[in-house]
Amino acid sequence: MPVSDHVLHHCALFRHVSAEVVSEAARSMDIVQLKKREVLLPSGRAFRGLGVVLQGRLQAIDYTMDGREVALTSVDSGEAFGQANLVAPRPVDLTWVAVVPSSLALMPSQAAMELLKHAEMSRQLATDLAQQVCEFLSWQKILSVHPISARVCAWLTWAAAGSALVVIPRHAELAWRLGTSRESITRTFQKL
């Protein structure tokens, strides 16, 4: 199913590029529906293109050495994913899983690389990747705070910066991001 140009304008990656570039991107994308906990495996292998979450939410997961599933990052509705693996010399195989039923717009890597020949798209991609790096560094700083209750407070301070409203995710999700248990998150919020 083809993607509408209008839908892509809601994605931050395409918001500030010309209508011609958005149209080119839309023509190169297909819509894929995933059920809750369904894995994105186009052609039976790791996703290597450029994707946009149109509706729903994705998580990139992997497994620890002891076999525990861990979430590495989340992508919400209106956000793009796969950008880093497009340009990285050594891409990381990520397993993308739908957290809730999700609609995705997917572009193969070859088409995405063609799209990056447009200077405005490359600039937007660089801006997006730079923001991701800043967020990962912020998370690293938060994860270095001890004890757990102080780490939750550090996250609250970071999440509230420049905003009148703090959206608190599910306690289980915040727990995996902060490297603790759901119970510890709940206890800390009860104390606060």
Side-chain angles (χ1 to χ4, degrees), residues 24-92:
E24 181 181 335
R27 284 191 306 272
S28 302
M29 295 179 125
D30 289 314
I31 294 179
V32 172
Q33 306 289 334
L34 293 181
K35 297 175 186 153
K36 182 178 181 176
R37 297 293 298 156
E38 188 174 355
V39 176
L40 173 63
L41 285 174
S43 308
R45 55 185 199 275
F47 179 67
R48 282 281 189 253
L50 180 64
V52 174
V53 178
L54 302 175
Q55 187 176 28
R57 184 162 215 232
L58 286 183
Q59 277 185 341
I61 63 163
D62 205 349
Y63 294 91
T64 61
M65 297 299 269
D66 60 358
R68 225 174 17 110
E69 184 181 283
V70 292
L72 302 173
T73 189
S74 296
V75 183
D76 290 311
S77 185
E79 295 178 351
F81 63 98
Q83 309 93 306
N85 279 347
L86 277 176
V87 294
R90 291 184 310 164
V92 175

Side-chain angles (χ1 to χ4, degrees), residues 174-186:
L174 187 55
W176 71 254
R177 290 303 304 255
L178 294 177
T180 187
S181 66
R182 182 199 55 77
E183 292 80 8
S184 294
I185 299 293
T186 302

Side-chain angles (χ1 to χ4, degrees), residues 7 11 27 30 98 104 114 120 126 130 149 168 173:
V7 170
C11 174
R27 284 191 306 272
D30 289 314
L104 314 173
E114 284 295 316
E120 61 185 320
S149 57
I168 298 174
E173 182 178 342

Side-chain angles (χ1 to χ4, degrees), residues 149-180:
S149 57
R151 190 178 305 165
V152 173
C153 291
W155 173 81
L156 277 169
T157 303
W158 175 74
S163 179
L165 178 68
V166 176
V167 177
I168 298 174
R170 291 183 357 257
H171 289 190
E173 182 178 342
L174 187 55
W176 71 254
R177 290 303 304 255
L178 294 177
T180 187

